[in-house]
Amino acid sequence: MKTTATLLLGLAAATCSCAAQLPLSTLIVPIPSVGTVFTSTVSACDTVAAFAVVGVPNGTFFPGTSTIYLPPQASPATSTFTDSESNLTEVVIATPLPGTCADLSLPADATATVNPNPAGPSSTGSPGVCPLEGCSAGVDESAQRLISLINEVAIASQNLQAAAKLIGTKKARGLEPRFNPLTAVVTPLNDIVATLTFGLPTIKSLPPFPPGCDSDTIVVAFIDFVRIHQALLNVLIGRAGLLSFSPFLADHAASVDAVEKFPNPIGAAIAGALRAIETVVDALAFSLIGLIPTRQACLKQQQGSLDDTLKDAIAAYQS
């Protein structure tokens, strides 16, 4: 297979050499194996340090489009890779989340979120219901606090995809610890619940936002969260059938018969965490509807879509 990169854009509006006096945090973006290595630095903003984004050609060619979400201070980028033999194309999009500067925890390796709807949020429902973009010029302080909360759980959902993909896998023998779904998946899901639970009182104390820049940017942040979290849920749904074969579960069961006879405790724990997320996400959506009544139709549409996927994921793990 001959794969060539046909387009590569920098990941930051202000790029600089990565040779800095202090080591930078680095986000590694896997690209197809014959792609071109690239390095870009997302500049510091406010009290947030700069970080480097490095494209490393150690990935596998997957036709289609995938999206990696970055903090708001990054700039959009697109890389296109084409397999000359099959004439198939892979597009990797780096998309900054809405808002301005944010200190969001990123993993060492980026996990792409498959983009099921590259045409934009409004194409899944009635045209014009959802805003296509927020404010490029920034938003006011109260709106930014709300956007930062939504961005935090969006990035957490994206980061969790890597662990979710390990459900049911077997680790090679050696010093590497065995994958534990309780700590690697259930705990981060509960952290998302805690983050939203602690943030909801602040949201409820805010006055409604009038139509315009601030309200549209908040809605776009919620749309991004829905898209990212649905990608995580789809990974979880796809791995659910492998959980009964988990080495961790087998080690903690008295016998194979016990695994088959009684409900899967790890599956029950994941289902419980997902039910908690369903509750807190509904609370978030209802709060946003109260704050942005002019975008009620869009917010309800996004809430309904995410609820449907959550119900599918819960059913997959409680059965």
Side-chain angles (χ1 to χ4, degrees), residues 189-225:
L189 287 173
N190 289 335
D191 289 342
I192 292 173
V193 173
T195 298
L196 288 176
T197 299
F198 289 132
L200 281 172
T202 301
I203 296 175
K204 292 177 180 178
S205 68
L206 295 173
F209 291 93
C213 172
D214 292 340
S215 59
D216 280 357
T217 307
I218 294 169
V219 173
V220 169
F222 186 67
I223 291 168
D224 284 342
F225 164 68

Side-chain angles (χ1 to χ4, degrees), residues 113 153-154 156-158 160-161 189 192 223-236 274 277-278 281 306 309-310:
T113 295
V153 291
S157 299
Q158 177 174 263
L160 186 49
Q161 287 186 50
L189 287 173
I192 292 173
I223 291 168
D224 284 342
F225 164 68
V226 169
R227 182 178 291 125
I228 294 168
H229 202 73
Q230 282 182 318
L232 168 63
L233 294 173
N234 286 329
V235 173
L236 288 171
L274 291 173
I277 283 184
E278 182 180 30
V281 166
L306 183 53
T309 312
L310 274 163

Side-chain angles (χ1 to χ4, degrees), residues 36-47:
T36 304
V37 176
F38 67 86
T39 301
S40 180
T41 300
V42 178
S43 301
C45 58
D46 295 341
T47 59

Side-chain angles (χ1 to χ4, degrees), residues 115 117-133 219-224 226-227 298 301-302:
N115 184 358
N117 180 31
S122 66
S123 64
T124 58
S126 303
V129 168
C130 292
L132 295 177
E133 59 184 1
V219 173
V220 169
F222 186 67
I223 291 168
D224 284 342
V226 169
R227 182 178 291 125
C298 173
Q301 178 189 101
Q302 296 298 314

Side-chain angles (χ1 to χ4, degrees), residues 84-169:
S84 58
E85 295 179 1
S86 64
N87 200 30
L88 296 175
T89 298
E90 175 184 0
V91 180
V92 179
I93 302 172
T95 300
L97 291 167
T100 53
C101 179
D103 186 8
L104 299 175
S105 176
L106 290 166
D109 295 331
T111 300
T113 295
V114 174
N115 184 358
N117 180 31
S122 66
S123 64
T124 58
S126 303
V129 168
C130 292
L132 295 177
E133 59 184 1
C135 280
S136 57
V139 296
D140 69 23
E141 184 177 349
S142 59
Q144 183 56 52
R145 287 201 305 270
L146 179 48
I147 292 165
S148 295
L149 173 65
I150 298 172
N151 286 349
E152 184 177 353
V153 291
I155 287 291
S157 299
Q158 177 174 263
N159 293 350
L160 186 49
Q161 287 186 50
K165 291 175 182 177
L166 294 178
I167 292 175
T169 59

